[in-house]
């Protein structure tokens, strides 16, 4: 079963809305590693859930992994 989450970036205030598995979200909230509990999400979506920072703002602050 899917559930919709919305996260507002703390840097740019952009609202991001996407679906996650309800079971995975509950597993993460219980303490499972996010990459295991919500493996269907992109790394950028998982970071958004963890830090409330979108990929664009993260890259502006810390640079790209591809540099």
């Amino acid at each position: 079963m899917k559930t919709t989450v919305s996260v507002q970036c703390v840097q740019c205030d952009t609202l991001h809305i996407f679906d996650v598995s309800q079971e995975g979200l509950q597993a993460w909230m219980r303490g499972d590693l996010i990459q295991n509990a919500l493996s269907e999400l992109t790394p950028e979506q998982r970071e958004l859930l963890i830090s409330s920072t979108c990929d664009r703002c993260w890259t502006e602050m810390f640079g790209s992994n591809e540099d």
Side-chain angles (χ1 to χ4, degrees):
M1 177 175 264
K2 295 283 185 180
T3 190
T4 301
V5 296
S6 58
V7 182
Q8 188 165 3
C9 177
V10 295
Q11 301 297 318
C12 67
D13 293 325
T14 301
L15 184 62
H16 300 267
I17 301 170
F18 50 93
D19 292 331
V20 300
S21 72
Q22 191 170 17
E23 298 81 16
L25 187 60
Q26 291 172 348
W28 176 54
M29 293 172 76
R30 284 193 309 266
D32 288 1
L33 295 174
I34 195 167
Q35 64 267 31
N36 296 337
L38 295 167
S39 61
E40 74 273 11
L41 298 181
T42 66
E44 294 81 11
Q45 288 171 317
R46 293 192 299 260
E47 184 60 43
L48 184 62
L49 287 173
I50 293 168
S51 68
S52 297
T53 304
C54 72
D55 186 54
R56 183 176 55 89
C57 291
W58 182 268
T59 300
E60 286 177 9
M61 291 188 299
F62 300 110
S64 172
N65 287 336
E66 299 170 7
D67 292 342

